[in-house]
Amino acid sequence: MKKYRRIISLDFELYNSYCYWSICWSGAVTADLALNETDRYVKLYNPVTKQKRTGSKIKFPFTYSDLAPLKSFGGAGRELLEMLTDDTLVIGHAVDNDVRMIIEACQRFGLGMPSFDYLDTVVAYGAVRNVMTARSLTNLAAEYGFEFNAHDPCEDAAATLEVLRRILKETGCEGDIAAFTEKFGIRFGRLQQGLIRACYSDAFTGKARKHIENRNALFDAVTGFDKEVKPLPAFKGRKYFFLGSMTAEQDVSPVALKLLSAGAKITGNQHAADFTVTNRIDEEEMLGQSDNILLKTLVSKLGMTAEEVKDMDFKPAKITTMSGMNISYENWLRNLYPMKNAQTDELKGVRFVFSMTADRLYGYETAYREIIRRGGTVTYRVRGAKYFVLRDESQLETDKFDLRIAALKTRAGKNVEVITFDRLADMLGIQL
């Protein structure tokens, strides 16, 4: 484990939970490496918004009129931020939320962004119990037999430190975080360059683990970037934010690296970005009414090759028409390329079925358009199809969850010719 100088348990309260920069109250408890408390810090701030939206459970012992004469986090937050040094291990409960508050407040008020490692007690508890379901700090305090004044950030920070003490004690690692993290396979989170590397443990498996690894891959790509920068006018100095739902589902680091090489920047704050990269199609947004940019459009503008994006998913997660209706990708394509507009009949009567990952490839829409343009049909039904298109040949053996592949192996797949996506491109004479 990295050598740390001290530990700080940290918590923030927001005046408006929809504005992650509206910090009105901060609390921190400093401890030595054996988790013995050494000091406390508490501060109130003007939240820079009069709209209080905190939920019915949170009652502050002050009003906006009490806060109004105070400095904002932009005016007084440096004092706390200077405590969050690279040799300090920060701990918190569901601490990703507090780290996001730091990111948005620093960018909102033009403050220098700190860099530090952190440990989430939600992850620590989950590793010990081998669960991934988060429990509230109040519930953990009750389980470990102590009380505290919830939603007072200094009290929350002290309770978080106490929960960690109890967890270490019950696991035989009292006062030794290094032994505990090694025993339970815990990886610290990190804030650096305004991006978050999530804290997680070996208790995370399957899809949950994959989501974290995908997001962390983006962090690693940006913070470890050391390639030559050749600025392009369309990207130089522009800030890009990758939508969280998309970065969870796949590793977008190849695109991030290409952006950085073109002189762009990657931010962890959507509100500070010039463009939000998404895989959701909104037809109104496509008319230029927002700063969203489709992943596929961005890849095209960056001039990325098919080889560079071969493992990426370009299938839109959601499509909203101008009338406000949500439709499937297939229906959107049918509307975009209607069969009545076929220009030739060379594929008339020929039906194509794509596997569930082949229809996620960068060139799928191009292939779809060409098939329809030549009088062919794209369908879900395997029976009666002429060609079944795979992402690659190994998919036949490895994909156990594609019902279309399962149907291919039954009587419905009789006389259906299996081809790869590359073979289809050759047949159509197109570049993908």
Side-chain angles (χ1 to χ4, degrees):
M1 187 178 82
K2 176 180 173 180
K3 186 70 174 178
Y4 298 102
R5 182 168 60 91
R6 63 180 177 180
I7 292 169
I8 290 181
S9 184
L10 182 68
D11 188 62
F12 294 109
E13 293 296 331
L14 296 177
Y15 199 74
N16 185 331
S17 58
Y18 290 89
C19 301
Y20 260 53
W21 44 263
S22 66
I23 298 172
C24 65
W25 199 2
S26 68
V29 176
T30 306
D32 61 25
L33 299 183
L35 299 183
N36 300 306
E37 182 178 326
T38 58
D39 200 6
R40 292 194 176 196
Y41 175 90
V42 63
K43 191 82 171 181
L44 294 175
Y45 311 94
N46 182 328
V48 201
T49 175
K50 293 182 179 181
Q51 189 175 26
K52 186 174 182 292
R53 301 179 70 174
T54 57
S56 59
K57 292 184 179 180
I58 300 178
K59 306 293 184 183
F60 292 146
F62 48 75
T63 64
Y64 178 76
S65 60
D66 297 321
L67 299 175
L70 304 178
K71 291 182 178 180
S72 70
F73 191 84
R78 289 181 180 86
E79 189 175 67
L80 176 62
L81 295 176
E82 288 173 356
M83 298 167 61
L84 307 180
T85 56
D86 204 39
D87 59 357
T88 297
L89 177 63
V90 173
I91 66 170
H93 193 76
V95 69
D96 280 349
N97 289 321
D98 300 286
V99 176
R100 279 183 56 208
M101 294 174 200
I102 291 174
I103 292 172
E104 295 212 13
C106 285
Q107 293 182 334
R108 171 87 176 189
F109 299 114
L111 302 175
M113 193 77 65
S115 295
F116 56 82
D117 297 335
Y118 65 86
L119 172 63
D120 193 337
T121 47
V122 170
V123 174
Y125 179 84
V128 172
R129 297 290 188 268
N130 198 33
V131 297
M132 289 179 288
T133 304
R135 295 193 64 196
S136 72
L137 187 57
T138 302
N139 286 338
L140 292 189
E143 179 177 335
Y144 285 110
F146 69 91
E147 296 180 352
F148 72 104
N149 183 19
H151 302 302
D152 175 324
C154 205
E155 285 282 306
D156 285 355
T160 298
L161 186 63
E162 182 61 25
V163 164
L164 187 58
R165 287 195 198 100
R166 304 285 179 106
I167 291 175
L168 266 59
K169 184 176 181 179
E170 76 168 304
T171 58
C173 302
E174 187 170 2
D176 192 341
I177 290 180
F180 172 71
T181 54
E182 182 177 355
K183 183 175 182 178
F184 290 94
I186 294 175
R187 284 77 162 172
F188 291 146
R190 183 167 178 80
L191 170 62
Q192 186 175 338
Q193 294 178 220
L195 296 174
I196 295 174
R197 191 178 207 282
C199 176
Y200 69 105
S201 77
D202 287 341
F204 288 80
T205 58
K207 195 171 184 179
R209 177 67 168 266
K210 191 64 177 175
H211 284 179
I212 290 175
E213 289 176 344
N214 284 338
R215 285 174 170 162
N216 286 352
L218 175 62
F219 173 93
D220 292 340
V222 175
T223 59
F225 180 74
D226 59 359
K227 295 179 172 56
E228 182 183 2
V229 177
K230 295 181 179 179
L232 297 174
F235 300 100
K236 184 180 179 181
R238 301 291 181 89
K239 293 181 180 179
Y240 289 81
F241 172 83
F242 286 85
L243 201 65
S245 57
M246 183 176 65
T247 58
E249 293 294 337
Q250 63 179 320
D251 177 3
V252 298
S253 58
V255 182
L257 291 173
K258 200 77 171 183
L259 277 170
L260 295 173
S261 297
K265 298 179 180 180
I266 311 296
T267 178
N269 179 5
Q270 185 173 4
H271 304 297
D274 297 302
F275 297 100
T276 294
V277 186
T278 179
N279 61 352
R280 299 178 179 180
I281 292 177
D282 188 315
E283 290 187 335
E284 287 188 348
E285 291 176 354
M286 292 180 71
L287 296 177
Q289 301 303 309
S290 82
D291 295 323
N292 285 357
I293 182 171
L294 281 173
L295 177 63
K296 185 174 180 180
T297 303
L298 178 61
V299 163
S300 177
K301 288 185 175 182
L302 285 167
M304 298 184 73
T305 66
E307 182 64 22
E308 289 176 308
V309 299
K310 66 179 182 179
D311 296 321
M312 300 194 71
D313 181 357
F314 294 94
K315 186 174 183 177
K318 180 181 179 182
I319 300 176
T320 305
T321 66
M322 291 182 64
S323 63
M325 294 183 61
N326 292 326
I327 63 174
S328 70
Y329 185 35
E330 294 299 325
N331 283 339
W332 187 73
L333 287 175
R334 289 191 188 102
N335 293 339
L336 198 61
Y337 308 111
M339 293 178 63
K340 65 181 180 180
N341 290 346
Q343 297 176 22
T344 71
D345 60 0
E346 62 185 281
L347 292 178
K348 186 176 181 180
V350 179
R351 296 172 59 192
F352 293 80
V353 176
F354 287 81
S355 68
M356 288 177 63
T357 53
D359 65 8
R360 297 172 183 269
L361 293 170
Y362 177 82
Y364 174 67
E365 184 181 335
T366 301
Y368 184 102
R369 183 193 65 210
E370 285 301 306
I371 290 170
I372 300 302
R373 188 179 72 84
R374 303 179 193 194
T377 306
V378 177
T379 178
Y380 284 121
R381 290 176 58 86
V382 175
R383 189 183 301 276
K386 172 67 174 176
Y387 297 106
F388 191 103
V389 185
L390 296 168
R391 185 177 190 132
D392 55 60
E393 292 180 355
S394 66
Q395 193 183 358
L396 267 180
E397 304 301 326
T398 59
D399 199 330
K400 300 177 182 179
F401 306 102
D402 190 336
L403 297 180
R404 296 174 220 176
I405 290 180
L408 180 69
K409 298 176 181 179
T410 67
R411 183 179 298 179
K414 187 177 180 181
N415 298 324
V416 178
E417 183 178 347
V418 177
I419 60 174
T420 64
F421 198 83
D422 288 340
R423 167 86 186 285
L424 173 65
D426 290 340
M427 286 174 53
L428 297 174
I430 57 176
Q431 292 288 331
L432 300 176

